[in-house]
Structures are given as structure tokens and as C-alpha cells.
Amino acid sequence: MSDIVIQKPVIVSRLILLFHGVGSRPESLMTLGRWLADSLDRAMVVSVAAPHPFDLGEGLQWFSIKDINEENRLDRIKVEMPHFADKIRFWQNTAKVEVNDTAIIGFSQGAIMSLSSTQLIETPLAKHVVSLSGRFAKAPQHNPAPSIVHFLHGNADKVMPVQHAIQGHDWLETLGASTTLDTFDGLAHSINHEESVRLLEILRS
């Protein structure tokens, strides 16, 4: 499965990378990607494919969730993080943009990878790191500055309860990090228009 370039303007001023959830494919974020592309005409927008087939069904995965628990989740993420970081750097080189012109946006497992990158990579990968229905695998230990970490999460999410986002935001605030938290009433484990509008506001800031 290949990454999908949703928009590549002649002159690229910023890079937006989308990372899908487990058991999904890059096509799942095409609607969101097109929404962002239509609103940010000088942004290169790419929906990135996870590297592995989903081992519990169809689709792809960043790491296996088979027999996963709080103890082994981070170890699985650490194994995959070099590939994740290389993907971001590849597209930065392709777009000819720097870290300060990059936003990484993950949904669910893609969000877990995005958040984990702020702790497992010494050099920041992006200015904006956005978690849609995501969580930290483990409490962050350091301030990911100059990255700004944003949590957007539905209050009705039963797959990834909103408490994970609230806790992650609180952890980062304790570390003195730049972070935002937005929750959305009635939103389950998905992305709606209200959340997309807020995401666009963040990217325009």
C-alpha cells in the first residue's frame, strides 16, 4: 500500500501528513485531507500508509495490537518509530520544507505514533503534532518544545475514552509544554465536521 498525495502545489509552503488508525488504510483520511487541502492552497497534503498488514483482519497497522497491554505497547512502538520518523523526513525532503513548516496529524493508532514521536525522537519532527482520538502509550517524560501538541477527542468515544486525551494534556502542561485540548460532545471514535473545523483553525494559527 502506497502513501497518497492529496495535494502538491507548485510552490509548497507547508507539509501536512495524515496517519490513519489500525486496520484502516490511507484512503480513510482522504475526506479530511481534501478538506484541509481545499482550505490551505499552498500546503502539500499526504495520507501516509502504515507499513504492516493488519494481523487481526483487513487493512494496515503501525504496530500489532494482538495481545497488547499497557506493559508491551511502548516496546512495540519503539520498534516501529524509526520507520515512522523516516517517513516524515522523506516527505519533508520531497516537499523541501523544514520542521517548523510540518504538521503531523494522527487518528487513533496513528495518533499514538504521532504522540510517541515527541518522546522517542531527540530532534522534533514537526511544529504541530495533532492527536485525533489518540493517547500517549506512556506518560511523557520531557517537554517536546518547540513542537505544539494538540488533542482533539470525542466525549462519546468508547474505543479510546476521552480521559486519555485529558490525561495526556495534563501531563504535558505539568512539563511546561505548549499543548491544547478540545473535546466534542456526542463524537464517537471518528472525525466530524466540528472537529475538522477546529483542526483547520489550529493549522492556520
Side-chain angles (χ1 to χ4, degrees):
M1 178 62 63
S2 300
D3 302 344
I4 299 174
V5 178
I6 298 170
Q7 174 171 277
K8 185 179 181 182
V10 175
I11 299 175
V12 178
S13 63
R14 63 194 307 181
L15 175 65
I16 298 172
L17 299 176
L18 306 173
F19 299 91
H20 62 79
V22 67
S24 190
R25 299 180 185 275
E27 288 88 349
S28 68
L29 294 176
M30 288 287 288
T31 299
L32 177 63
R34 289 196 183 101
W35 157 263
L36 297 175
D38 289 345
S39 304
L40 303 167
D41 58 0
R42 294 186 63 185
M44 183 171 180
V45 183
V46 182
S47 188
V48 181
H52 306 295
F54 184 37
D55 55 13
L56 294 176
E58 297 182 354
L60 302 170
Q61 65 187 23
W62 300 98
F63 57 88
S64 176
I65 59 171
K66 187 176 181 180
D67 300 321
I68 200 163
N69 55 49
E70 295 298 318
E71 286 68 42
N72 63 27
R73 180 181 288 106
L74 187 60
D75 288 338
R76 297 183 185 189
I77 294 169
K78 286 179 178 178
V79 170
E80 300 302 329
M81 189 53 64
H83 173 85
F84 185 83
D86 284 347
K87 274 282 191 178
I88 294 171
R89 295 183 184 116
F90 168 81
W91 285 112
Q92 286 171 332
N93 290 334
T94 300
K96 296 181 173 59
V97 300
E98 304 295 331
V99 168
N100 282 340
D101 302 312
T102 303
I104 59 176
I105 302 164
F107 174 77
S108 194
Q109 192 180 76
I112 294 174
M113 293 296 296
S114 299
L115 291 171
S116 296
S117 74
T118 69
Q119 300 298 303
L120 300 179
I121 304 295
E122 289 188 11
T123 303
L125 295 171
K127 176 182 179 180
H128 292 287
V129 179
V130 184
S131 167
L132 306 177
S133 303
R135 59 167 291 183
F136 275 110
K138 182 181 179 181
Q141 300 299 303
H142 68 265
N143 183 337
S147 296
I148 306 168
V149 180
H150 309 274
F151 296 88
L152 287 76
H153 214 113
N155 282 330
D157 192 337
K158 295 182 180 179
V159 176
M160 194 87 68
V162 69
Q163 285 74 20
H164 286 301
I166 295 170
Q167 184 178 56
H169 177 258
D170 289 347
W171 280 334
L172 288 177
E173 280 202 326
T174 299
L175 293 170
S178 181
T179 180
T180 67
L181 170 67
D182 293 274
T183 61
F184 302 88
D185 291 339
L187 179 62
H189 196 64
S190 60
I191 302 167
N192 64 8
H193 180 70
E194 183 184 6
E195 188 176 57
S196 299
V197 169
R198 175 57 184 143
L199 173 59
L200 183 57
E201 290 175 352
I202 288 170
L203 296 178
R204 282 176 164 166
S205 63

